[in-house]
Amino acid sequence: MARQWKLLGKLFLSTLELSAFTFGGGYVIVSLMKKTFVDKFHWIENDEMLDLVAIAETAPGSIAISGAIVVGCKLAGLVGMIVTVVATTIPPLVIISLIALGYQAVGDNELVKRLLLGMQAGVGAVIFSVVWEMARKYVKKRDVAAILIMLSAFVAAGVLRFNVIYVVMACIGVGLVHALRLMRSGKK
């Protein structure tokens, strides 16, 4: 029982810290979750983390909350899920409340505008890092089908501006067919 409480405490504090110091949205937190739960604590294997992220991405709502749900549930069941969701929610709630109070006073400030613009560039780099980290496994394996799925999804959503819901649904279908083919051929 004490071991479970210790795990829940570490889970709460690590998720709270991730949420408090992550700027730029959910995909930034994915990279930091990997570094914390896979690299630092070794609670989850890298392939498992990729699977959990894929599950979280298909769920509605924030990727940070969905990621917290699947990681918390994997590590400590329903209680772990509740702990990670609460820990993930607290920092943005507090930070946004404080920003809302002071934004009217500094919202038109040129320095604040430039600071936010600089943060956007940094967030872009972090998101690219997450994408590369997730894609690297398939590039190393020379998994042509997975690479084509990723590139097609990027082109469909990013270049052709297809609705992301349809892109995700198509990727789920193609991914299932690809996984079934690998299972039948004995490669998975």
Side-chain angles (χ1 to χ4, degrees), residues 84-102:
T84 55
V85 168
V86 169
T88 302
T89 307
I90 290 171
L93 184 66
V94 170
I95 291 168
I96 290 172
S97 297
L98 293 173
I99 289 172
L101 291 173

Side-chain angles (χ1 to χ4, degrees), residues 22-44:
T22 302
F23 294 94
Y27 291 104
V28 175
I29 204 168
V30 168
S31 173
L32 297 174
M33 287 173 87
K34 182 215 175 272
K35 287 179 182 168
T36 300
F37 300 127
V38 175
D39 300 338
K40 182 178 177 183
F41 292 127
H42 306 289
W43 288 340
I44 302 174

Side-chain angles (χ1 to χ4, degrees), residues 138 143-157 167-179 181-182:
Y138 298 105
D143 187 342
V144 176
I147 294 168
L148 285 175
I149 292 169
M150 287 185 285
L151 290 174
S152 298
F154 172 77
V155 169
V167 174
V168 170
M169 299 293 274
C171 287
I172 289 171
V174 173
L176 284 171
V177 169
H178 178 60
R181 287 182 62 206
L182 286 176

Side-chain angles (χ1 to χ4, degrees), residues 5-35:
W5 281 107
K6 185 176 180 178
L7 171 65
L8 290 173
K10 279 179 100 172
L11 195 56
F12 179 84
L13 291 175
S14 59
T15 309
L16 184 77
E17 179 183 3
L18 286 171
S19 184
F21 297 106
T22 302
F23 294 94
Y27 291 104
V28 175
I29 204 168
V30 168
S31 173
L32 297 174
M33 287 173 87
K34 182 215 175 272
K35 287 179 182 168

Side-chain angles (χ1 to χ4, degrees), residues 12-14 27 33 37 51-52 54-55 58 68-69 85 91 104-105 107 111 116-117 119-120 123 125 133 167 179:
F12 179 84
L13 291 175
S14 59
Y27 291 104
M33 287 173 87
F37 300 127
D51 292 342
L52 293 174
I55 292 167
T58 61
I69 288 170
V85 168
Q104 286 183 337
L111 181 63
L116 293 173
L117 189 62
M119 286 175 64
Q120 284 180 349
V123 167
E133 186 71 31
V167 174

